[in-house]
Amino acid sequence: MTAAQRREQLIAVTRVLFAEKGVEGTTVEEIAANAHVSKPVVYEHFGGKEGLYAVIVDREQRTLQESIRAAIDQAKGARRKVEAGTLALLDYIESNPDGFRIISRDAPAGSTGTSFATILSDVASQVEDILADEFRRRGLRAEMAPMYAQMLVGMIAYTGQWWLDERDPDKATVAANILNLAWNGLARMVPVPGLYTPVD
């Protein structure tokens, strides 16, 4: 194997182990054994499992964000953009379950990997402009769009985490129901929401 091929092999083996056992539950010994190499080979290429984790998370993050960005950019109209982004996330979960398991877990202590919250925040920033434009069109407060973008992406992502293991109902039904709650909820928003119970 060339050095590049060995790196890819180590990444593929470790990705599966991290998805099954988590980073903390995986040892360098296990990585080496599953790749049929010695421990020093793992250290030589990545400096340890933390280096592998950083590479894997970076790849998964880019794959997820690029697919969501492309889906949103190709769709026309605010509702279709939200739908496209929702389906892109569910498509990623369906085709990359190991990757999603890895990035949706908390990063291990001392890791340089990006947290799931940071990834979701980056995705939400792509949704802010869509919501802000829609809010202006409906006479709502556009400055609240960043908060609603966080809510929307959080709802989709955490539903995706649930669906990762359930897989029932099917992807289209999950997406349609997310959109039912999200979009119909957005459609009936009032300019100045209030609570029934005052907060001190």
Side-chain angles (χ1 to χ4, degrees):
M1 260 187 206
T2 66
Q5 288 171 329
R6 179 65 72 195
R7 281 179 61 86
E8 291 305 315
Q9 181 215 17
L10 288 168
I11 289 168
V13 165
T14 306
R15 190 174 180 269
V16 172
L17 289 169
F18 284 174
E20 288 175 358
K21 306 176 79 173
V23 181
E24 300 293 351
T26 302
T27 66
V28 173
E29 288 84 356
E30 287 175 299
I31 295 167
N34 279 272
H36 306 292
V37 298
S38 63
K39 282 171 52 179
V41 172
V42 177
Y43 288 114
E44 176 189 334
H45 284 279
F46 295 98
K49 68 178 181 179
E50 293 78 13
L52 273 158
Y53 178 76
V55 170
I56 291 167
V57 168
D58 180 65
R59 284 187 180 188
E60 296 302 326
Q61 177 184 355
R62 277 188 283 117
T63 299
L64 175 57
Q65 290 178 326
E66 286 168 9
S67 64
I68 291 174
R69 186 177 296 116
I72 289 172
D73 288 347
Q74 291 172 12
K76 303 295 182 202
R79 188 191 187 284
R80 288 186 184 241
K81 285 181 180 291
V82 173
E83 179 177 310
T86 301
L87 282 168
L89 177 61
L90 295 176
D91 285 341
Y92 170 80
I93 293 169
E94 186 174 58
S95 59
N96 299 282
D98 285 350
F100 188 72
R101 280 189 180 92
I102 293 167
I103 63 174
S104 64
R105 287 190 178 121
D106 289 334
S111 168
T112 57
T114 305
S115 72
F116 189 46
T118 303
I119 294 168
L120 295 185
S121 186
D122 290 344
V123 173
S125 69
Q126 298 174 47
V127 178
E128 284 178 23
D129 291 339
I130 298 168
L131 293 183
D133 290 344
E134 188 67 16
F135 282 14
R136 284 187 202 95
R137 194 176 71 73
R138 294 180 183 213
L140 301 170
R141 297 168 58 197
E143 69 272 16
M144 302 304 284
M147 180 177 69
Y148 279 93
Q150 293 286 340
M151 293 177 196
L152 180 60
V153 170
M155 177 177 68
I156 296 167
Y158 288 108
T159 302
Q161 282 185 306
W162 166 81
W163 184 68
L164 174 66
D165 295 319
E166 294 294 323
R167 295 304 175 98
D168 184 43
D170 62 85
K171 178 175 59 181
T173 302
V174 172
N177 279 276
I178 289 171
L179 266 289
N180 184 38
L181 175 60
W183 197 256
N184 289 332
L186 289 170
R188 289 168 178 76
M189 281 174 32
V190 295
V192 183
L195 300 172
Y196 285 112
T197 306
V199 177
D200 293 332

